[in-house]
Amino acid sequence: MVFLPQLPHNNKEEIKHMMTQKLVKLFSPDSVAVIGASNSFDKLGYHVMKSLVGHYAGKIYPINLKGGKVWNLDSYASLAEVPGNIDLAIIVVPAALVPETLHQCGGKGVKGAVLITAGFREIEDSQGGVLQERIRKICDQYEMPIIGPNTSGFANIAFGIDASFTSEFCELEKGGVAIISQSGGLCHLCGFLALHQRMGVSSLMSLGNRLNVGFPEAVRFFIEEDEATKVIALYIEGLDEPRELLDMARSLRGKKPIVAYKSGKSAKSDSASKFHTGSLAGNHEIWKGAFRQAGILEVTSSEELIDTAKVLDSCALARGNRITVLSGQAGPGIIAADALEAYGLSLSQFSAATKEKINEYLPPIVIRTNPVDMGPVWYNPKAMFDILNAVIEDEGTDGVIFINLYASANLSLASAMAEHIKNIDAFKKPVIGVITAPPGVWDDGIKRLDRKKGIAILPTPERAAKAMSNLWKANLLSARGK
Amino acid sequence: MVFLPQLPHNNKEEIKHMMTQKLVKLFSPDSVAVIGASNSFDKLGYHVMKSLVGHYAGKIYPINLKGGKVWNLDSYASLAEVPGNIDLAIIVVPAALVPETLHQCGGKGVKGAVLITAGFREIEDSQGGVLQERIRKICDQYEMPIIGPNTSGFANIAFGIDASFTSEFCELEKGGVAIISQSGGLCHLCGFLALHQRMGVSSLMSLGNRLNVGFPEAVRFFIEEDEATKVIALYIEGLDEPRELLDMARSLRGKKPIVAYKSGKSAKSDSASKFHTGSLAGNHEIWKGAFRQAGILEVTSSEELIDTAKVLDSCALARGNRITVLSGQAGPGIIAADALEAYGLSLSQFSAATKEKINEYLPPIVIRTNPVDMGPVWYNPKAMFDILNAVIEDEGTDGVIFINLYASANLSLASAMAEHIKNIDAFKKPVIGVITAPPGVWDDGIKRLDRKKGIAILPTPERAAKAMSNLWKANLLSARGK
């Protein structure tokens, strides 16, 4: 933890409590000042205002030296002139002005800040590092938590604030995944993937240079303090003190699943990620082992990170590796079966009761063993739903991949299936649906498949199989810690 | 080849020529009869009509016993009553009526048929196989090529006909990829992926039971006869006579790239795919070697099939494995570099001229080695474009991954970049763009990045890296055949 040792207090627990309280206010502020707010489209201060105005329900104070209206709100020439309290300051002024700005924040009693401004430790010019040390001392002086510098900001979707320069994050659906990215670019990539995939997000943020809020602080916050968060998704480039994150994850093991995507595997990309200081940064094999020991589930691509977080948020864990494939179309069922075996899962055997239920509905002309070709009951959503339930009840099955491709020709079937799922409590075993349709055909219907029903939708059979294997690995990692 | 040996002719070349001429008419018909056309939404004959009416410019003859109007067109009680010639018959009547229907088609001089009806060799009941033999003989008698039975049909996007029961295929963008799928389900999965990804398609089809048009016939047709097709994408479950396809591919090697996704890798899924007859069907290692020898590029997922076909259609092949990553955001550039190395590619070294050009634009504060952090020229699309061109000119670079994430805040930059690309001839080395935006933000702009410019857009850095590795493998496979 970067922050604590440098504070003047003696009682670490007390400081931790105070810091946590400040982080709560930072992430769920009642009032926000935007320092460098602007009416000019070319300025980041414009886009931060765009993310807030009309979306955020708390008080917004634009700070702008010129005064006048900014985004139709009265602006203030300085923080000191703001009449009320300020929980969060979002700072977009040039780097040279940041020290003075932070003093003003401290003086005003701001609870925490998002420092979007870049030009600190991340630049090659050593003056960047000097400036970063300078502002670190100022933040220490005021005991003020800072996201950044060199961050794209954060969005707390569950609470209702987008404190970033990307207003599209306001469109993210509410859910249980907290995305914590070292890089602003990956934060955006993951956010855009989440939007395209309708993944439910609690919060998303980029940590940037991690002045005093790094992975350990952020992860602990979302595990211990943020009720909306059910799953933590991390993008890590390199860490100065990897042990802090790993020890913290181990100590909180089993509380909320943590999924991590670590880059810098190759020598060149590691050099590009500019992390030469952390002892564990360079050797990916060591990272793999360390993640496993800490109970962190490692993934190997940005899409796998989002897919896995999505199923962890929506579905039960897979208590074993025996999976059933039910498919309205034979071909996609076959490729799901292939992929499951490739990822170390096996196809479940059915009990007598399950066989009976399947035989009740499916004629002997099709494959009734796993993968099950549901073609003949394609026009009978009730039958498909009954077979799905029978398989979930079967003790020999630990999870189900449920595949249906809908075009406009069978929209009514898709809707009938959605109605069935709407009326259940929740599947008690993981169900990953590959319920695919052309753009625009069934967007609403897919939306109606509520993530509270224990089912998550992924775009292809292979990605569903990979995500199912991660639900099984997450279960193993979670159990190992108990 | 299933068809030829059973024809009564002696001159194989002559028959082949005649069959090819018939296939040309089948895939590009001037007139179509829909046998089993219907006004009832619950019937496949309704959806086949929906795919044609308002989309297909040729003559449409609905055939329906009840007569009257079907989809507001005059219907005919039988084929014989149709006044004009019929190039293509699309058949959706019950299996028992198919023999008589095919006799009518033969009698009318129909050039070819799409037999959507199922219930033949694919069912467990041995009567299905018997019926299939019966209709095979009828087709032989009339020398009539048949797609199916048990097919979802085809769509020739380049010509302008959707002869399937899925009208959404009409929305596919025109391009150079012919998708030939054994399974109707995979045909739909690939078609939907193509729609979501804006992949340009020439034709797409499912072969179904392959009565007399199988992979060899279809692949040969799209390589030799269909000018719109530049790339062939195959989904294969199993083949009775794999040698025919492999020999044919080898003989036409280097003409158009063939990409194949083969399922049935595991024992269970192989059994599910119901192919026990082909000697090569069960052992995937043998398939792998056979594909390589035939110059067919093998892929291992449905998304990789579409991604690879897309870049093969749009981009030049990668003449080597030295790749440059240019990224507007550092993090995504780093994960691209990681993925490239994981897929056996390497990061290129820059020549003095390239370094000079990069140094002209980029300040020393950022990484100017590969991967290049283009952050400082993010607001200068001309500079990004100049650096891109310098890298392409560099003899040490065989391909470029060009990453830019755009939110509404930088839409004007995205449009400026699109304008630059619009005005070039075409990149002479492969450029894969990861140009990502939230839904709705830049859909039009991405559309304007014409595939004729030698650039293809993929959704993530990792998928771009995988596709680039396939552009290199395709080059090796193509060169080996010469």
Side-chain angles (χ1 to χ4, degrees), chain A residues 95-159:
Chain A
L97 302 181
V98 167
E100 176 52 27
T101 302
L102 288 173
H103 276 301
Q104 288 172 11
C105 288
K108 179 72 183 170
V110 164
K111 302 289 193 307
V114 168
L115 182 48
I116 290 175
T117 308
F120 297 90
R121 182 185 157 188
E122 82 282 5
I123 64 174
E124 280 185 25
D125 187 327
S126 63
Q127 284 308 305
V130 171
L131 191 56
Q132 180 155 330
E133 266 315 296
R134 203 173 138 207
I135 65 171
R136 182 201 304 283
K137 283 181 187 143
I138 299 169
C139 294
D140 283 359
Q141 180 187 334
Y142 296 104
E143 292 171 0
M144 185 164 56
I146 298 273
I147 312 292
N150 187 28
T151 175
S152 56
F154 76 87
N156 184 340
I157 308 303
F159 173 78

Side-chain angles (χ1 to χ4, degrees), chain A residues 168 261 269 302 338 408 462, chain B residues 168 261 269 302 338 408 462:
Chain A
E168 283 79 16
Y261 179 29
S269 65
S302 50
D338 264 353
S408 58
E462 298 94 332
Chain B
E168 284 78 18
Y261 179 29
S269 64
S302 50
D338 263 354
S408 58
E462 300 93 333

Side-chain angles (χ1 to χ4, degrees), chain B residues 11-37:
Chain B
N11 185 333
K12 277 204 167 191
E13 281 309 306
E14 190 189 307
I15 301 164
K16 207 163 99 178
H17 179 71
M18 185 197 67
M19 277 298 290
T20 300
Q21 293 313 108
K22 287 194 173 181
L23 280 177
V24 169
K25 276 293 165 202
L26 189 162
F27 282 114
S28 311
D30 293 326
S31 53
V32 177
V34 179
I35 308 177

Side-chain angles (χ1 to χ4, degrees), chain B residues 1-116:
Chain B
M1 203 172 296
V2 182
F3 196 80
L4 292 187
Q6 296 167 15
L7 286 172
H9 296 259
N10 290 320
N11 185 333
K12 277 204 167 191
E13 281 309 306
E14 190 189 307
I15 301 164
K16 207 163 99 178
H17 179 71
M18 185 197 67
M19 277 298 290
T20 300
Q21 293 313 108
K22 287 194 173 181
L23 280 177
V24 169
K25 276 293 165 202
L26 189 162
F27 282 114
S28 311
D30 293 326
S31 53
V32 177
V34 179
I35 308 177
S38 173
N39 285 318
S40 164
F41 186 92
D42 295 338
K43 301 282 184 188
L44 283 175
Y46 172 97
H47 296 284
V48 171
M49 289 299 290
K50 187 181 174 194
S51 299
L52 292 168
V53 176
H55 301 289
Y56 169 61
K59 280 196 182 148
I60 306 170
Y61 300 109
I63 311 296
N64 181 299
L65 279 175
K66 292 177 199 149
K69 295 268 188 187
V70 177
W71 273 80
N72 276 330
L73 297 172
D74 287 328
S75 76
Y76 300 84
S78 76
L79 267 191
E81 293 173 25
V82 172
N85 291 329
I86 296 169
D87 285 343
L88 170 65
I90 307 175
I91 303 169
V92 287
V93 299
L97 302 180
V98 167
E100 175 53 26
T101 302
L102 289 173
H103 276 302
Q104 289 172 11
C105 288
K108 180 70 182 170
V110 164
K111 301 290 192 306
V114 168
L115 181 48
I116 290 175

